[in-house]
């Protein structure tokens, strides 16, 4: 199978590429990524560019480049590329509309010329909005996005479904909860806690810290995506979650305890505007229909994550200092690895 992966230099995409290369050596992968601030070529530094893995730098919003890219006749597109940080979407929503909505539409437009192509769209639990205490959203629950990021992801999903309905694109949508694990950029909660605590810097906890997130170890999401490529029916939609939401403050305390750091590092700060109180998904459909189940408990996952950041301090230093942004220029031949202008 020949796969186009968009956004493969980011957190989940890079974990997914590594997962595929290990589990499906028969797959050919082309990773197409703009390398925004969130795209980190150091995430893929151990991979060799060869017949099973290629990297092309480019923007999914650039329709000429996308049209040319699709001439490679892929069997499937796994669409991760997105602006992903909620706080940034509150500061400026424009890049979220450009990439998450228009970029997705450009990919769909190119994809509709290939009736056998599978389009796996990576979406988020945030499209449902905030869950009440004890509530878990199913795939039948109405969507109610409440941040600019969530609204852009919900809109992208509408385009995916509209193109599937209108042009017969074989699309599958996966709505996943918060991922955690190696290679996550330290603007997101878990790597931020590890990073700040290791330097004895304050840990900003928004509001009362009792907002809940339904954490899933990233390799478990990778297995769900692989199952979707192999077995999901066109038109299907799946929630993916471990199903055990936890308050942010508990996560902060667990990490501080594991690192042997004092809780005095916790600093309550002003809440995120419009902050969703709770995310929780019912993932019984993917468990029943595709036989998926998470393999890594939160406790094991958080231990592995902390150990990874501790033994990859150079990666973290480069992510914090911005040095990772020069890696691509230093290591890739721009003429052969760049499409477009
Ligand atoms: P990330 O921010 O770590 O990586 C995003 C990647 O997309 C980066 O490599 C970036 O360079 C690339 N990109 C951004 N704009 C692009 C463009 N215009 N053209 C090409 N590439 C571009 O994101 P992530 O956390 O790995 O999330 C991946 C996907 O999964 C996103 O669609 C996100 O909405 C979704 N998701 C994430 C989580 C999570 O907890 N991280 C949970 C559910 C769903
Ligand atoms: O739910 C899936 C979503 O998870 C993905 O779709 C998004 O792309 C991803 O960024 C993530 O969104 P969150 O807003 O849930 O993740 P974040 O790590 O930014 O925040 C997690 C929780 O921690 C949230 O309740 C806000 C809180 N928080 C976050 C930061 C960065 C803090 O209290 N302090 C912080 O400094």
């Amino acid at each position: 199978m020949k796969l186009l992966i968009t956004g493969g230099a980011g957190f989940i995409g890079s974990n997914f590429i590594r997962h595929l290369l290990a589990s499906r050596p028969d797959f050919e992968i082309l990773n197409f990524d703009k390398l925004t601030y969130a795209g980190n070529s150091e995430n893929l530094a151990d991979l060799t560019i060869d017949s099973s893995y290629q990297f092309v730098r480019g923007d999914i919003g650039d329709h000429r480049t996308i049209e040319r890219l699709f001439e490679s006749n892929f069997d499937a597109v796994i669409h991760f590329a997105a602006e992903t940080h909620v706080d940034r979407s509150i500061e400026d929503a424009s890049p979220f509309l450009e990439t998450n909505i228009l970029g997705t539409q450009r990919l769909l437009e190119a994809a509709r010329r290939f009736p056998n192509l599978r389009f796996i769209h990576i979406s988020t639990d945030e499209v449902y909005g905030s869950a009440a205490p004890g509530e878990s959203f199913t795939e039948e629950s109405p969507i109610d996005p409440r941040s600019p990021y969530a609204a852009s992801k919900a809109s992208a999903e509408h385009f995916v479904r509209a193109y599937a309905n209108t042009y017969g694109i074989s699309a599958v949508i996966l709505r996943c909860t918060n991922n955690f694990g190696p290679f996550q950029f330290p603007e997101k909660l878990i790597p931020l806690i590890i990073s700040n605590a290791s330097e004895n810097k304050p840990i900003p906890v928004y509001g009362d810290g009792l907002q809940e997130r339904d954490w899933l170890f990233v390799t478990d999401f990778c297995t769900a995506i692989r199952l979707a490529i192999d077995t999901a029916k066109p038109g299907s939609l799946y929630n993916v979650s471990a199903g055990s939401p936890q308050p942010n403050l508990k996560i902060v305390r667990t990490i501080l305890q594991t690192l042997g750091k004092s809780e005095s590092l916790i600093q309550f700060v002003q809440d995120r505007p419009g902050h969703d109180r709770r995310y929780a998904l019912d993932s019984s459909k993917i468990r029943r229909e595709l036989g998926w189940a998470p393999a890594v408990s939160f406790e094991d996952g958080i231990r592995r994550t902390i150990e990874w950041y501790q033994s990859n301090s150079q990666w973290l230093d480069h992510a914090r200092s911005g040095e990772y942004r020069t890696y691509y220029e230093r290591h890739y031949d721009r003429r052969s690895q760049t499409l477009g202008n």
Side-chain angles (χ1 to χ4, degrees):
M1 258 191 135
K2 205 166 170 182
L3 301 191
L4 170 63
I5 295 188
T6 71
F11 162 49
I12 305 177
S14 61
N15 275 283
F16 183 66
I17 289 172
R18 196 167 281 101
H19 169 84
L20 268 192
L21 290 173
S23 60
R24 297 298 295 264
D26 52 317
F27 282 12
E28 280 177 42
I29 296 167
L30 194 150
N31 175 10
F32 183 80
D33 195 301
K34 184 178 178 181
L35 297 182
T36 66
Y37 82 92
N40 185 341
S41 301
E42 292 190 28
N43 292 358
L44 301 158
D46 56 322
L47 304 188
T48 317
I49 301 282
D50 60 17
S51 56
S52 56
Y53 173 67
Q54 299 283 316
F55 177 78
V56 172
R57 185 177 196 177
D59 186 338
I60 57 166
D62 175 354
H63 69 94
R64 281 209 328 250
T65 301
I66 294 299
E67 294 293 329
R68 274 172 60 199
L69 188 67
F70 274 68
E71 285 165 15
S72 296
N73 272 314
F74 298 104
D75 297 296
V77 178
I78 323 302
H79 176 33
F80 294 97
E83 289 291 337
T84 63
H85 194 42
V86 174
D87 293 327
R88 287 179 188 256
S89 81
I90 294 167
E91 289 295 316
D92 178 9
S94 308
F96 291 74
L97 274 70
E98 295 288 342
T99 288
N100 301 4
I101 305 175
L102 287 173
T104 299
Q105 185 267 340
R106 301 259 149 81
L107 288 174
L108 292 164
E109 195 57 34
R112 76 186 177 92
R113 292 186 286 123
F114 300 91
N116 297 322
L117 179 79
R118 290 172 76 72
F119 194 100
I120 311 290
H121 180 71
I122 306 301
S123 194
T124 171
D125 59 355
E126 299 207 15
V127 298
Y128 293 110
S130 203
E135 181 183 25
S136 283
F137 294 121
T138 72
E139 290 80 357
E140 309 302 319
S141 303
I143 62 171
D144 179 22
R146 290 156 43 92
S147 72
Y149 162 71
S152 70
K153 293 294 289 186
S155 177
E157 278 196 20
H158 280 312
F159 275 98
V160 173
R161 291 212 252 193
Y163 270 67
N165 178 59
T166 310
Y167 305 109
I169 286 178
S170 297
V172 173
I173 297 174
L174 300 178
R175 291 178 179 157
C176 192
T177 54
N178 288 64
N179 280 222
F180 69 108
F183 299 108
Q184 188 168 29
F185 195 69
E187 67 181 351
K188 304 282 168 67
L189 182 69
I190 287 182
L192 181 77
I193 303 168
I194 300 170
S195 169
N196 282 16
S198 62
E199 294 193 323
N200 294 313
K201 286 187 180 160
I203 291 156
V205 172
Y206 297 166
D208 61 7
L210 298 180
Q211 307 84 0
E212 293 182 19
R213 296 292 182 267
D214 193 351
W215 296 98
L216 182 70
F217 194 64
V218 63
T219 53
D220 281 328
F221 189 29
C222 293
T223 58
I225 300 168
R226 187 162 51 78
L227 277 173
I229 298 171
D230 290 339
T231 58
K233 289 201 190 81
S236 51
L237 161 68
Y238 291 105
N239 288 344
V240 187
S241 75
S244 52
Q246 305 194 53
N248 294 337
L249 204 49
K250 186 171 164 219
I251 308 287
V252 177
R253 290 194 168 121
T254 303
I255 297 174
L256 289 176
Q257 200 174 28
T258 311
L259 290 171
K261 299 287 181 177
S262 161
E263 288 194 8
S264 63
L265 290 177
I266 295 173
Q267 189 174 77
F268 290 95
V269 299
Q270 194 177 6
D271 208 351
R272 174 184 278 174
H275 198 169
D276 281 339
R277 192 72 179 161
R278 183 167 180 274
Y279 295 143
L281 293 188
D282 176 336
S283 57
S284 48
K285 184 179 174 201
I286 193 169
R287 293 172 193 245
R288 190 176 61 247
E289 292 187 4
L290 304 191
W292 175 82
V296 183
S297 67
F298 180 78
E299 292 69 28
D300 191 26
I302 201 72
R303 184 187 51 73
R304 283 159 64 171
T305 304
I306 293 170
E307 280 171 12
W308 185 86
Y309 280 92
Q310 286 177 321
S311 42
N312 289 275
S313 53
Q314 190 184 56
W315 181 95
L316 187 56
D317 288 346
H318 289 181
R320 280 188 298 220
S321 68
E323 193 176 333
Y324 72 100
R325 301 210 70 176
T326 66
Y327 185 93
Y328 174 79
E329 313 296 339
R330 288 186 280 116
H331 289 84
Y332 285 85
D333 174 349
R334 301 196 70 170
R335 284 158 306 169
S336 63
Q337 298 297 333
T338 306
L339 267 183
N341 310 323

